[in-house]
Amino acid sequence: MIEKIGTLIQANQTFLITTHIDPDGDALGSAFSLYWALKSLGKSPSVYLKDKVPYRYEFLPGPENVLHEIPSDTYDAIVVVDCGSLFRVGEGHEKLKEKGALVNIDHHNTSEAFGAFNLIEEGASSTAEILYRVFRSLKLAMTPEMAVNIYTAIFTDTGSFRYENTTSSAFLICEEMTRHGVKPAYVSQMVHENHPKERFLLLGLVFSSMETYYGGRVAVVHVTKEMFKSTNTTSEYTDGFVEYIREIRGVEAAVLLREIGDCKFKASMRSKGRVDVAAVGSRFGGGGHKNAAGCVLEGTLEEVKNKIKEAFYKEFT
Ligand SMILES: [Mn+2]
């Protein structure tokens, strides 16, 4: 399939690249590295993102104008990266199907083959790792712009080389990227040490909401609209919170519930080791990876917490 995608890239001229809402480092690094790769081939790529680029990823080199409205034009190909389901592109995603041949490049184990072409590698550390192999098959010269996007995508999707997807090939690619100008300390500072102080005011409130179940093996925190308002923050400030919760000794599953509407919560889940949060997420129509998944739950905060608690019953008894 890698060769097929390579051929498709060579044979076409106009591309619209997109990824999931609430974009993370892999989503953006993948989209932007593909943008630069296509540019270097003399193609005409555009990037569409439903949401704005979160502050911690503003340092990533991308197109001068990222589109935030689905353009009216049609394209030779629509490339969706790091997106397990097409709906995760956000509102209006149905329109994309009519705009060009849909190409899906992804590594989620719950990935749906929604494209006309599907390059899905569940074993890949990140979508950027798959793209790196596409670029290799095209014999592309690695530019500094491509390198920093690929490095950051792998760095963030492996939780700074801490998670189980931290494979030897993840390291090998990142090592190669340092030889193309990437400074690991700089990327780490941009991603981890560049937060507005409001984030920590919010973090205090969120941590104070912690409840644990099953003898401390599941920890749940929540963030409400009121908390965002009182600290003058938005959902992008919660990026990484759920990972902190997993750092607690004995915690095997960490859950962050974010109020997204009336009696509606987005659950972000992380686990250590054998606990499969993608299985829990898929019970509620969500998905992801074994150790990182999400879903949307309806009900009051108490009802949603009970649903989560029950959903983990099988994992902890
Ligand atoms: Mn990813």
Side-chain angles (χ1 to χ4, degrees):
M1 195 36 106
I2 287 198
E3 286 71 27
K4 211 168 175 180
I5 300 294
T7 311
L8 182 138
I9 286 173
Q10 274 165 333
N12 289 292
Q13 183 58 37
T14 59
F15 298 84
L16 183 66
I17 306 162
T18 190
T19 184
H20 58 80
I21 50 171
D22 294 330
D24 56 21
D26 187 26
L28 294 165
S30 293
F32 293 168
S33 68
L34 179 58
Y35 170 84
W36 291 113
L38 292 171
K39 278 291 226 192
S40 78
L41 284 163
K43 309 289 179 184
S44 310
S46 300
V47 175
Y48 162 72
L49 300 174
K50 176 83 177 62
D51 297 328
K52 73 176 184 61
V53 174
Y55 66 80
R56 56 160 62 178
Y57 301 120
E58 278 173 354
F59 75 100
L60 289 175
E64 225 165 274
N65 293 307
V66 171
L67 308 171
H68 295 291
E69 299 279 336
I70 295 182
S72 53
D73 320 28
T74 56
Y75 298 82
D76 296 334
I78 311 291
V79 189
V80 186
V81 295
D82 199 43
C83 217
S85 308
L86 188 58
F87 78 85
R88 293 222 60 225
V89 171
E91 212 183 293
H93 61 87
E94 314 85 1
K95 286 187 226 156
L96 291 175
K97 284 186 188 158
E98 294 139 35
K99 299 211 160 281
L102 214 52
V103 181
N104 167 20
I105 304 177
D106 188 34
H107 71 128
H108 290 90
N109 27 13
T110 51
S111 202
E112 296 161 9
F114 58 79
F117 302 89
N118 299 285
L119 175 53
I120 301 167
E121 285 184 20
E122 288 176 18
S125 64
S126 54
T127 299
E129 178 176 333
I130 307 171
L131 284 169
Y132 165 85
R133 288 198 268 275
V134 172
F135 303 156
R136 280 288 295 262
S137 82
L138 287 165
K139 300 194 165 53
L140 287 186
M142 193 59 65
T143 65
E145 288 83 8
M146 287 160 72
V148 73
N149 278 299
I150 292 171
Y151 181 94
T152 304
I154 296 175
F155 178 69
T156 55
D157 246 29
T158 58
S160 312
F161 309 120
R162 292 184 303 159
Y163 302 161
E164 291 188 10
N165 60 342
T166 310
T167 58
S168 64
S169 81
F171 277 124
L172 278 170
I173 297 167
C174 286
E175 186 275 338
E176 187 184 328
M177 295 308 111
T178 65
R179 286 188 280 116
H180 291 285
V182 174
K183 300 270 177 268
Y186 168 74
V187 172
S188 174
Q189 258 175 41
M190 288 297 111
V191 172
H192 294 305
E193 299 171 352
N194 194 28
H195 298 296
K197 75 168 189 306
E198 286 77 9
R199 170 180 158 91
F200 296 95
L201 303 177
L202 180 66
L203 185 62
L205 296 178
V206 172
F207 274 18
S208 305
S209 76
M210 193 186 314
E211 278 182 37
T212 58
Y213 311 127
Y214 303 109
R217 296 165 82 186
V218 178
V220 179
V221 294
H222 66 263
V223 56
T224 60
K225 287 183 174 171
E226 186 50 44
M227 291 179 187
F228 285 131
K229 215 171 124 192
S230 71
T231 53
N232 195 23
T233 54
T234 57
S235 65
E236 74 173 283
Y237 288 72
T238 64
D239 192 15
F241 281 13
V242 69
E243 283 83 3
Y244 286 133
I245 303 297
R246 183 172 50 184
E247 289 180 14
I248 299 167
R249 180 185 299 158
V251 165
E252 292 174 57
V255 181
L256 168 73
L257 297 170
R258 172 163 62 88
E259 184 183 17
I260 54 171
D262 257 351
C263 286
K264 216 172 185 182
F265 292 84
K266 165 94 205 291
S268 299
M269 300 181 282
R270 299 291 183 272
S271 65
K272 285 177 195 155
R274 59 153 199 98
V275 177
D276 184 357
V277 286
V280 172
S282 61
R283 284 214 221 170
F284 302 107
H289 309 285
K290 184 177 150 217
N291 295 128
C295 61
V296 172
L297 293 142
E298 290 189 23
T300 64
L301 185 57
E302 282 317 306
E303 286 165 353
V304 164
K305 281 183 178 174
N306 279 327
K307 283 184 187 179
I308 287 286
K309 190 177 169 182
E310 278 164 30
F312 276 107
Y313 181 80
K314 228 175 68 193
E315 300 279 341
F316 292 103
T317 47

